[in-house]
Amino acid sequence: MSPRFATQADAPIAVHLVDAEGLQSWIDQQPARLQTWVRGSGFKPALGKVLLIPGASGAVEEVLVGYGTAAARKRSRFHLAAAVPALPEGAYQIASGLSSDLAEQEALGWLLASYGFDRYAGSKPKPVTLVAPDGVDAAKVEAIAAGEFLTRDLINTPANDMGPEELEAAATALATQHGATIKVTRGEDLLTQNFPMIHTVGRASDRAPRLIDMRWGESGPKLTLVGKGVCFDTGGLNLKPGASMGLMKKDMGGAATVLGLAQMIMALGLPLQLRVLVPAVENAVSGNAFRPGDILPSRKGLSVEINNTDAEGRLVLADALAYGAEENPDMMLSMATLTGAARVAVGADLAPFFCDDDATANRLMQAATTVADPLWRLPFWDPYEAQIEPGIADLDNAPKGGFGGAITAALFLRRFAGEDVNYSHFDVYGWQPSAAPARPKGGVGMGARALLEALPDLLEL
């Protein structure tokens, strides 16, 4: 399903946004017939509330949509999208009440609210479309929504239909769509081409591990995106409890997010050289699974002691980051559903990120606010470096103690990204636990829209 705005040819119904402070003023400016209808309905303009106003023929002619109070709006986002489920099928157009500075955000929210994952159940969302508000770049917003839809589809697809091979197929389809090139290193070739940790994590599965390497653009600054593609995570020999495996189809959420961001970048034709690296594996259990206590080599030459086979995502990312850093890109980003510690720290709605460059971090935070894609900066805290140095090997994949787990994981990754690359790491959740405006329960992108907003400044495009 491709998100699209309606056109005037669709005969859109007028929508008026009214907040608690402005409802009475709006009513006073309407014809007597309409005043009587609104007052008689008892309409209260809480966020997402809808009042259908019929014309002389009885068909819906206008719609009132509640915009709540300033306090209520502060506690949520995509306020207009809250009304979409209550609207009957048809096309709509904002006639009044939407400020120009929020038009793009609310228009995007409407498109995102049209998402539905119908691959298995077959229940398609009802067609409730919107004419792009004046001043909004419709093609840009549609491209952003399409990238988010791709991310959601990839995460929502269960692991039996979204293993390493299927994730490769999705990346290949994206590359074909936009004229990108793609190279994939699979199975035993990972060893001969020096990706030992990607191979080790994925070797216990009968679905061959692989490194997906997609490139697009021939000029401009170099941007490398690295996404964790663990298509299912049993925990390995440190087996997860059954309840903890329930959402592990989303453990490739980092890969899904960077592919969604790549879709946005390529569709919008940003003047840069894009590279996307996705180590795609399944962390399974069999006789050749890697073990607690093993010491693994890595592409960078650092040895890694395994203290928990359930801390596998940082291992596959490490080889991919080392590979990406070899080309010295202008910026490198990793995105991963990496640690439960990040969720304990900031919850499901915020994506924490780690960045040593203050200018980069500040611009990302500004962009996150602008496009309603919330981020929160956590530190690469150097005093914790000793915790990831076990002594018997260069690095420890799961330091003991239980404190600062998101930070120590980020520090581990930074060792492989290197000191000479402008590197940021995003520890995303990739899942919406309960339905919210523009975000149905299920897979969700986090951080991609903020990054897209910030890239022109960060890379001086």
Side-chain angles (χ1 to χ4, degrees), residues 412-425:
F412 181 95
L413 295 178
R414 188 177 67 170
R415 293 287 188 97
F416 294 88
E419 298 178 356
D420 299 326
V421 174
N422 184 353
Y423 170 62
S424 299
H425 165 62

Side-chain angles (χ1 to χ4, degrees), residues 133-343:
D134 291 343
V136 169
D137 184 338
K140 173 188 173 184
V141 176
E142 287 174 344
I144 292 170
E148 171 66 16
F149 279 26
L150 173 61
T151 294
R152 293 180 182 184
D153 280 347
L154 292 174
I155 296 174
N156 284 329
T157 303
N160 60 311
D161 287 329
M162 187 51 64
E165 181 178 0
E166 291 82 6
L167 189 54
E168 175 191 332
T172 300
L174 182 62
T176 300
Q177 178 184 352
H178 293 287
T181 62
I182 195 161
K183 173 186 175 184
V184 182
T185 307
R186 305 177 189 85
E188 297 303 304
D189 288 343
L190 290 165
L191 293 177
T192 61
Q193 297 188 36
N194 195 23
F195 301 106
M197 291 204 293
I198 298 174
H199 179 272
T200 296
V201 172
R203 72 189 182 197
S205 173
D206 59 1
R207 308 163 94 176
R210 63 204 67 205
L211 177 64
I212 302 164
D213 185 352
M214 183 173 72
R215 295 175 185 266
W216 174 87
E218 297 180 354
S219 62
K222 295 180 179 179
L223 172 66
T224 297
L225 308 176
V226 183
K228 174 185 170 185
V230 178
C231 296
F232 193 81
D233 181 20
T234 66
L237 292 178
N238 290 112
L239 195 67
K240 292 178 183 288
S244 298
M245 280 193 223
L247 281 182
M248 282 301 99
K249 70 175 184 179
K250 79 170 185 68
D251 212 21
M252 39 64 70
T257 304
V258 299
L259 289 172
L261 176 55
Q263 155 75 20
M264 299 174 198
I265 289 170
M266 294 187 291
L268 295 173
L270 295 191
L272 54 78
Q273 298 179 70
L274 175 66
R275 188 182 192 190
V276 179
L277 293 169
V278 173
V281 303
E282 181 176 27
N283 188 21
V285 178
S286 72
N288 67 340
F290 70 119
R291 297 161 288 263
D294 286 355
I295 295 179
L296 306 182
S298 69
R299 181 177 185 86
K300 191 163 184 174
L302 297 171
S303 58
V304 179
E305 181 181 7
I306 304 304
N307 278 309
N308 192 326
T309 62
D310 196 19
E312 84 300 328
R314 67 201 68 182
L315 302 177
V316 299
L317 286 171
D319 273 353
L321 285 168
Y323 188 41
E326 290 167 12
E327 289 195 352
N328 195 31
D330 295 284
M331 178 171 290
M332 185 161 64
L333 309 166
S334 59
M335 305 193 85
T337 53
L338 203 63
T339 69
R343 306 287 71 76

Side-chain angles (χ1 to χ4, degrees), residues 354-416:
F354 300 80
C355 178
D356 280 325
D357 183 73
D358 289 341
T360 297
N362 291 339
R363 182 65 188 98
L364 285 170
M365 290 294 289
Q366 292 167 3
T369 299
T370 299
V371 299
D373 189 16
L375 302 175
W376 197 259
R377 188 184 185 185
L378 291 180
F380 279 123
W381 189 245
D382 290 333
Y384 292 171
E385 285 277 5
Q387 296 183 30
I388 61 172
E389 297 169 344
I392 190 173
D394 294 315
L395 294 171
D396 183 339
N397 84 317
K400 296 177 175 62
F403 293 147
I407 298 174
T408 54
L411 290 172
F412 181 95
L413 295 178
R414 188 177 67 170
R415 293 287 188 97
F416 294 88

